[in-house]
Amino acid sequence: MNSYLNNAWYMAGWAKDLQDTPVAREFLETPVVMFRDAGGSPAALYDMCPHRFAPLSRGTLVEGQIQCGYHGLRFAGDGRCTHNPWTGRLPPSAQVQSFPMVEQDGILWIWMGDRDRADPDRIIRYPELADGDYRFVFGSSQVNAHYELVTDNLLDLLHSPYLHPGFGADWRPEYKYRVEGDTVYSDYRVPPYRGSEFTDILWPQTRGKMVDDFESMRWNPPCTLELRIFIGVEGMKVTEGEGFINIAPHIVTPANKTSTHYFWGSGIKASESTVTDEAHLEIVSQAFDAEDAPMLEAVQRRLGGNTDIMARKPRPVALPGDTSAVHARNILKKLIKQEKQTT
Amino acid sequence: MNSYLNNAWYMAGWAKDLQDTPVAREFLETPVVMFRDAGGSPAALYDMCPHRFAPLSRGTLVEGQIQCGYHGLRFAGDGRCTHNPWTGRLPPSAQVQSFPMVEQDGILWIWMGDRDRADPDRIIRYPELADGDYRFVFGSSQVNAHYELVTDNLLDLLHSPYLHPGFGADWRPEYKYRVEGDTVYSDYRVPPYRGSEFTDILWPQTRGKMVDDFESMRWNPPCTLELRIFIGVEGMKVTEGEGFINIAPHIVTPANKTSTHYFWGSGIKASESTVTDEAHLEIVSQAFDAEDAPMLEAVQRRLGGNTDIMARKPRPVALPGDTSAVHARNILKKLIKQEKQTT
Amino acid sequence: MNSYLNNAWYMAGWAKDLQDTPVAREFLETPVVMFRDAGGSPAALYDMCPHRFAPLSRGTLVEGQIQCGYHGLRFAGDGRCTHNPWTGRLPPSAQVQSFPMVEQDGILWIWMGDRDRADPDRIIRYPELADGDYRFVFGSSQVNAHYELVTDNLLDLLHSPYLHPGFGADWRPEYKYRVEGDTVYSDYRVPPYRGSEFTDILWPQTRGKMVDDFESMRWNPPCTLELRIFIGVEGMKVTEGEGFINIAPHIVTPANKTSTHYFWGSGIKASESTVTDEAHLEIVSQAFDAEDAPMLEAVQRRLGGNTDIMARKPRPVALPGDTSAVHARNILKKLIKQEKQTT
Ligand code: FES
Ligand code: FES
Ligand code: FES
């Protein structure tokens, strides 16, 4: 599938990414500059001055407006030209496309489609990110692979014992998928095992004991995921909602056909863990940035410019662990088709 | 416009660039090797040996001829094969295309078109470059942008206060354009201002005083420019030809569609300034190489492979400062059209 | 000519390249992973897991089989899937293409064509490589040029005095070509000369004396060469088979249209030379890797994407030294044509 779901909220970055300077990022093949307006609200414009096409992100912020770094035209967060230093008159066509943005749960969300349909109530919530009982570490990387390869990877954690030794080479779960409406889940119940570097670091109290482990990855279209891990030591009955908890948003946004923004967080309940943020960040960034990303980029190189692994001949051999990812791909394909028909 | 004016003199380099070794440069999508012949005159050949296509620029100079570094064929400055070490006989087809060159005012000029039309009298003069009363510093860089983006930038100095803080953020001129035949001028009269890092460094005697400033950029087709700046302190009446003078050749030559040689010089009258060459070079190379070039390359990236910003949809929004550049583009378009009709 | 001879043995590497870890290389535009099976025999598979297209070369060796580094499928040297950690059942389509390999004379050979025709008896022998009387140094590099540019270079050593000063700037041979069946020879008889850095280092006993020199380069299709050099001091009659000997396999394998594996060795008879391997390696790698490779890559850049220098207009000017290479090109063209007709 070579197109995007346009009418959807995509993660544009962490709220903390946006401070005093403009930030340039590409979303859905569109260059975007983001900044905070005078009131501190996030704004997003097409990152090109309508005068001589300088990227606005090379400019400076003046009282919550962005001033072009080439000849000084100034634009508000809604894309209107507000200042022309050379004649005072505002060229009527000097208007820049703006994109709706929402800041919620410490996340910036952007809407690249039809702005009349941008309903903030449809944004997936990550309430623990703003909950003082939790401590999170964060990552932002760019993976040179199609975004569905990234979501496939997240929906099939059976890669973990091979690609992520730090999560346990003897982590051998039973896998089940669930589909509820347009939401897809991968559930993993792991028979008691000796724990891993990951469990040892996050919950030192489990060290040396056999651990119970239940994990559930949730996918919402187009590419918004969250993993919840529940860990207990022998004798604790661990299911969803019980045990020591790790909550991990995994949110991906296509930059273009073969490059993807990958935003992830990993949070523990402060009362359950004494791990330092440094140690926490080290063990998870190793997995997501140093192990997943190079593998996904290697797969994309094998695909060449091809962006739909399922359409390649010969087709990939199916394993049971792929089921959730295949469901998610089909739901997204359906939604993109619907969007094309109604526009 | 996707073609070049072929029957024109282009700057190939500074005379001092050509010493004892061959120099390889691309002009108008053509690889060229330049060297000095036995008499010291500059010569230019198509940079490819007709035997097995080695770049001749990988060879060596032997008595003012270029000897191929692969199997030793030797060529004179006019492209004739003069020596075959393996049989003595000269292969009749072993001929390399040569290009007329002229060395004048410390500049090397090359003619890439129909050689019968190569009239040295048509070369634009830069007499001060060879005038001992002046001291010049020089730059040679390659900018990855279409050459008309570079000439546009030079013909619209209203970018200066935004892109070049060292030339004064409060440099706020009145701009006028003049067109005389095929020559275009941008004239800037600047109301008295506090001077800038640039005026402070070049003419320390103006420091702390309000300065008068008149500047005139001249463009001759295809892309040969010169800026003259006249600076005076309060009470001096500064117009063209009066005041402390800065003469700046800005000469650009297309390497290919999206890469341009940018040669610039900056000269002061030795009697008017005590500036060192080091300080002089630092302030101007900061502006031309470290500020202009990255902005032009960023604009080219926004244009992708497109080489005519004026043909892009939607069209760029026009500001008054663009007028000279638009005139120059139209004159060049006319000359290219004429050249195509007569050949 | 834009195709390859598929039914042929190509050098895949030196035997010593294959130790405990998988090795990834591209041959004839095909990604290949090589490893040793449980018995130590070399095996080669298409370097892509049929499940989710991970390069198998990112995996690990488990008892002579390759285990995919993504989800753990395991494959034997013949390409059969032997282990599925997740269900035990082996997906019937989980089969990887394998390529015949032979290890002989310290060289790994691979057959990329129709496996029924892979006859090991057709492999060119390099017996001295496995002969204790000889000491060899080795090189493996990748040259970004079409493989026939590399073989042309080897079949025309008249480039030597220009490109390889270490082999003697006054090395001025008489050249003869011989064609025997599909084998082509370039023979060089060099009138006595003062020796070179190369002869001084390899045979110190010749230093300061005039040397006799006979050299013969042999080419077998598709691109398997060997140079034999015979050196004597004044008074020795040196022909093929007499004098101090240097034996140099030069074996090239196309990676793709414009990139070539270049494997070379250089051997002396231990009884004839006291040269250290370090000094030996330095003088020859300077020539092959630091002088030949950049020249060939520069020629390829002049050709752009063009892969047949002989088909370019205007055609290259012919010199007598090219004759062997032209014969070799014609033989290879004939063999590729025959192969296409019979399949
Ligand atoms: S390009 Fe932005 S003001 Fe000119
Ligand atoms: S390529 Fe120039 S002499 Fe052979
Ligand atoms: S990609 Fe190899 S086992 Fe999944």
Side-chain angles (χ1 to χ4, degrees), chain A residues 49 51-54 68 70-73, chain B residues 319:
Chain A
C49 179
H51 174 225
R52 301 297 288 188
F53 301 167
C68 180
Y70 203 179
H71 312 88
L73 289 180
Chain B
L319 292 186

Side-chain angles (χ1 to χ4, degrees), chain A residues 230-261:
Chain A
F230 303 92
I231 293 285
V233 287
E234 230 173 349
M236 280 173 79
K237 185 166 163 290
V238 165
T239 57
E240 178 137 22
E242 294 174 74
F244 305 131
I245 190 168
N246 175 243
I247 295 179
H250 288 270
I251 312 180
V252 306
T253 302
N256 54 52
K257 287 190 179 59
T258 55
S259 188
T260 299
H261 300 284

Side-chain angles (χ1 to χ4, degrees), chain A residues 47 50-53 70 85-86, chain B residues 152-153 158-159 302 316-317 322:
Chain A
D47 187 18
H51 174 225
R52 301 297 288 188
F53 301 167
Y70 203 179
W86 298 112
Chain B
D152 287 355
N153 181 65
L158 300 188
H159 71 267
R302 283 290 176 266
V317 166
D322 304 332

